[in-house]
Amino acid sequence: MADGGAAAADFTWCAGQGAGEPVTEDTTDPGLSAIWRFEKAFYYDRDPVAARAVGAPEAVMASAERLRIGIDALEPAVEFCVLADPVSSGVYDVTVVERGPGIDPRTSSQRFTTAESGGSTSITAI
């Protein structure tokens, strides 16, 4: 799916496949918006520097170099959908559902923590 336009893609097909609601670029929740920017940079844009930049400088998360390893392991045609379940203020349980031609559907779950600083919200831990 990395070859199309993000605005034209359907990022909500995983609704009901796990806890939480689908997250898209249209979300108004600042924490969910940060999560969306991270997942889009990772799966769709395949840009580890942009993905890491969504995190605060001191965030407990992988470096851009480590993110590159994960991105390089993705199949070219993989599609993703993000489900997020708010746990508390700025804390979300996130499930990413992956699918694609020749790919058995799979999920991964992580807890994201976000915080606002200087007028923008960043990821502080994954």
Side-chain angles (χ1 to χ4, degrees):
M1 178 148 280
D3 58 354
D10 174 15
F11 292 110
T12 63
W13 51 262
C14 63
Q17 294 188 36
E21 296 298 318
V23 179
T24 69
E25 63 190 338
D26 297 326
T27 185
T28 58
D29 177 282
L32 292 177
S33 180
I35 292 166
W36 168 253
R37 290 190 319 270
F38 173 82
E39 299 294 3
K40 180 183 174 292
F42 186 90
Y43 281 97
Y44 195 83
D45 300 328
R46 298 185 182 218
D47 183 340
V49 173
R52 181 58 185 87
V54 179
E58 70 283 358
V60 179
M61 63 188 290
S63 66
E65 293 79 17
R66 298 253 329 157
L67 292 170
R68 166 56 62 204
I69 293 168
I71 289 169
D72 288 347
L74 293 172
E75 296 87 351
V78 71
E79 294 182 32
F80 75 102
C81 184
V82 181
L83 297 168
D85 191 17
V87 175
S88 60
S89 180
V91 180
Y92 307 85
D93 283 339
V94 175
T95 300
V96 176
V97 183
E98 301 173 3
R99 71 175 185 184
I103 301 169
D104 289 332
R106 58 186 176 233
T107 62
S108 61
S109 298
Q110 296 176 305
R111 178 160 285 180
F112 281 68
T113 304
T114 64
E116 189 276 331
S117 177
S120 66
T121 300
S122 300
I123 294 169
T124 57
I126 299 177

